Amino acid sequence: MPSVLFVYNASADSLPVLMSNAIVKNNSDEAFRIIHKIIETAHENNYACGNLWHNYLTHFILSNENVFSLASERRSSPTGSLKELVLHDFEIFMQLYRQLHDSIAYVSDFKGSCDGKSLICDYAAKLANAGTPEEFFEYVSDFYKNFGIGMFALNKAFRLGTNTIIPVANKNVGDIKLKDIVGYGIQKDELKKNTEAFLNGLPANNVLLYGDGGTGKSTSIKALLNEYFSRGLRVVEIYKHQFKEILKLTGTLRKRNYKFIIFIDDLSFENDESEYKYLKAVIEGGIETRPDNVLIYATSNRRHLIREVWSDRDDMEHNGDIHRSDTVEEKLSLASRFGIAINYSAPTRDEYHEIVLKLAEKSGLIFNRDELLKAADKWELRHGGKSGRAARQFVDYNLGMKQEK
């Protein structure tokens, strides 16, 4: 009897089944073709080390969404017939882990890297050494309960595609932490307190980070993700032209056992754009409430998000009331729906110097302090003013020049 939950839920031509059939039929050509695909998959997912056959099977199991895995993510243990079916599947997988074939020998001790995917390698060793289906069951259940299932378990960040959520490779997110961002202590503390309340199931607010360009607004969101990934925080980035899909997105996220930040970078609207109305309805005011496991964090160079023109003020009441027009109030109400607004202003000269010195020191750049700061001042005059971004670009430039020489 074939696997009931895992393979049939994925596809009839899944690699575990194809490899098993190739081994049974002693079809070396087919087996080597599958091994080639397994090597490609291992590199794509950053677990190209150790026994790639075991790693692939583990990745397949831990990424497979089915009745058992989704229930386990919600910390609900299967009983009765469902558990019997799961144990049946795991008995089959134990056989797959122990299958021997000449082709598998080529990837049984692969020299590579598990960068960003060590969980796969760790659990592959556990599952390969499981003595009984019950022990196998405990290892898999443990993973689902602690880390979740599928792409959300193994990736930190995502972006919204066409009718799908697309994972961003962990190595492309970087590993910056809040402590690596020089200055902005008050801003970082406020951001941390709100995010920790959110993770702890306490009331928390949507957040607007606004201020000068290059001051670390977007970097702070990445740092939060790296800081709290192990506690179930995930970030899904969405763009302005996708705001019509935001209700569908929140409907998908509310079903999962994670805490999600919907991240909107560089949020602003021109006078004739109306997409902000979709965002307003989701943040507050629509019939369907925002899920408890979803917050919206946005960055903007504008405090009020929407460009205001003088003509918006023409619609004034005739009784001399000092209130602005309904048009202006409708637009400005978007910013007010973010419960917390955090200002990231351009650094002072001393703060800019501190950022330059710390970045240079961290990067291993050998320098004379006075000469470095004098050159940094010239750099910011030619590159848009004092900011963390300008400091980073200045240090990178000097590192590049040093290596070229």
Side-chain angles (χ1 to χ4, degrees), residues 54-68:
H54 291 172
N55 290 352
Y56 175 80
L57 289 173
T58 304
H59 185 235
F60 179 85
I61 293 170
L62 301 184
S63 300
N64 193 286
E65 295 186 9
N66 55 61
V67 174
F68 161 61

Side-chain angles (χ1 to χ4, degrees), residues 93-131:
F93 272 104
M94 288 175 66
Q95 295 172 15
L96 288 173
Y97 273 87
R98 290 163 188 167
Q99 281 180 334
L100 297 177
H101 188 271
D102 292 342
S103 59
I104 292 178
Y106 287 97
V107 294
S108 62
D109 188 21
F110 201 83
K111 307 301 182 185
S113 170
C114 283
D115 179 37
K117 292 288 182 180
S118 60
L119 278 175
I120 294 293
C121 301
D122 290 345
Y123 272 83
K126 292 179 180 180
L127 296 179
N129 293 314

Side-chain angles (χ1 to χ4, degrees), residues 8-199:
Y8 280 173
N9 181 65
S11 64
D13 61 349
S14 60
L15 292 188
V17 170
L18 293 177
M19 174 60 88
S20 182
N21 291 338
I23 292 173
V24 170
K25 296 175 182 177
N26 198 25
N27 187 337
S28 294
D29 289 341
E30 180 68 3
F32 280 112
R33 184 185 70 80
I34 296 168
I35 286 295
H36 173 75
K37 180 63 178 175
I38 287 171
I39 294 173
E40 285 187 336
T41 305
H43 279 93
E44 288 171 1
N45 292 279
N46 298 314
Y47 57 74
C49 63
N51 191 317
L52 298 194
W53 174 236
H54 291 172
N55 290 352
Y56 175 80
L57 289 173
T58 304
H59 185 235
F60 179 85
I61 293 170
L62 301 184
S63 300
N64 193 286
E65 295 186 9
N66 55 61
V67 174
F68 161 61
S69 60
L70 290 171
S72 296
E73 181 186 88
R74 295 189 292 270
R75 292 171 169 75
S76 174
S77 298
T79 57
S81 297
L82 179 59
K83 185 170 183 179
E84 290 179 9
L85 290 173
V86 173
L87 291 173
H88 163 80
D89 281 10
F90 287 164
E91 187 172 0
I92 294 172
F93 272 104
M94 288 175 66
Q95 295 172 15
L96 288 173
Y97 273 87
R98 290 163 188 167
Q99 281 180 334
L100 297 177
H101 188 271
D102 292 342
S103 59
I104 292 178
Y106 287 97
V107 294
S108 62
D109 188 21
F110 201 83
K111 307 301 182 185
S113 170
C114 283
D115 179 37
K117 292 288 182 180
S118 60
L119 278 175
I120 294 293
C121 301
D122 290 345
Y123 272 83
K126 292 179 180 180
L127 296 179
N129 293 314
T132 64
E134 287 77 12
E135 185 180 0
F136 199 103
F137 176 92
E138 290 302 321
Y139 286 138
V140 175
S141 298
D142 173 72
F143 180 90
Y144 291 152
K145 291 174 182 177
N146 290 323
F147 302 101
I149 167 67
M151 63 178 180
F152 290 127
L154 300 171
N155 296 278
K156 301 176 182 178
F158 308 83
R159 59 184 177 83
L160 185 63
T162 304
N163 297 320
T164 186
I165 299 173
I166 303 171
V168 176
N170 288 338
K171 62 183 179 181
N172 294 336
V173 176
D175 57 0
I176 189 168
K177 299 288 183 68
L178 286 170
K179 64 181 180 167
D180 299 324
I181 302 174
V182 182
Y184 300 99
I186 295 175
Q187 291 87 336
K188 290 187 292 185
D189 284 345
E190 191 167 6
L191 201 55
K192 282 183 66 174
K193 288 176 183 176
N194 189 70
T195 305
E196 288 180 357
F198 176 50
L199 293 172

Side-chain angles (χ1 to χ4, degrees), residues 195-369:
T195 305
E196 288 180 357
F198 176 50
L199 293 172
N200 291 330
L202 301 173
N205 283 290
N206 300 304
V207 179
L208 172 64
L209 290 73
Y210 72 95
D212 300 290
T215 51
K217 300 184 294 293
S218 301
T219 304
S220 294
I221 304 299
K222 291 181 183 179
L224 278 179
L225 179 56
N226 291 321
E227 205 89 34
Y228 297 114
F229 168 71
S230 61
R231 292 179 57 182
L233 183 66
R234 302 293 185 269
V235 169
V236 181
E237 185 171 17
I238 185 171
Y239 303 101
K240 185 167 61 176
H241 69 276
Q242 299 173 311
F243 282 175
K244 289 183 179 180
E245 306 297 321
I246 199 167
L247 275 174
K248 185 188 297 184
L249 174 62
T250 57
T252 299
L253 300 182
R254 75 162 66 237
K255 303 172 186 175
R256 305 307 298 264
N257 193 31
Y258 300 89
K259 299 290 187 179
F260 292 98
I261 289 176
I262 296 179
F263 175 47
I264 308 168
D265 196 23
D266 196 21
L267 178 62
S268 64
F269 298 95
E270 298 303 320
N271 189 54
D272 58 347
E273 292 179 316
S274 60
E275 288 92 344
Y276 68 91
K277 294 182 179 181
Y278 296 105
L279 186 57
K280 281 176 64 177
V282 171
I283 294 178
E284 183 183 343
I287 294 176
E288 185 176 353
T289 59
R290 174 175 51 80
D292 292 336
N293 66 329
V294 176
L295 283 181
I296 296 176
Y297 283 16
T299 70
S300 179
N301 293 340
R302 299 177 186 170
R303 172 64 179 87
H304 292 299
L305 303 180
I306 302 172
R307 186 184 299 279
E308 182 184 345
V309 297
W310 193 258
S311 61
D312 288 339
R313 300 172 179 261
D314 292 341
D315 181 24
M316 303 296 289
E317 296 183 22
H318 296 290
N319 61 1
D321 198 327
I322 62 172
H323 289 100
R324 294 184 176 182
S325 67
D326 292 339
T327 307
V328 174
E329 290 297 335
E330 181 187 20
K331 291 181 176 181
L332 297 186
S333 67
L334 174 59
S336 67
R337 299 203 179 196
F338 288 89
I340 297 176
I342 304 175
N343 179 28
Y344 279 69
S345 56
T348 64
R349 184 163 300 280
D350 288 343
E351 290 169 338
Y352 172 66
H353 286 172
E354 182 185 4
I355 296 172
V356 169
L357 291 172
K358 289 194 175 181
L359 288 176
E361 183 178 352
K362 186 177 179 180
S363 301
L365 182 66
I366 300 173
F367 59 87
N368 174 282
R369 186 180 188 280

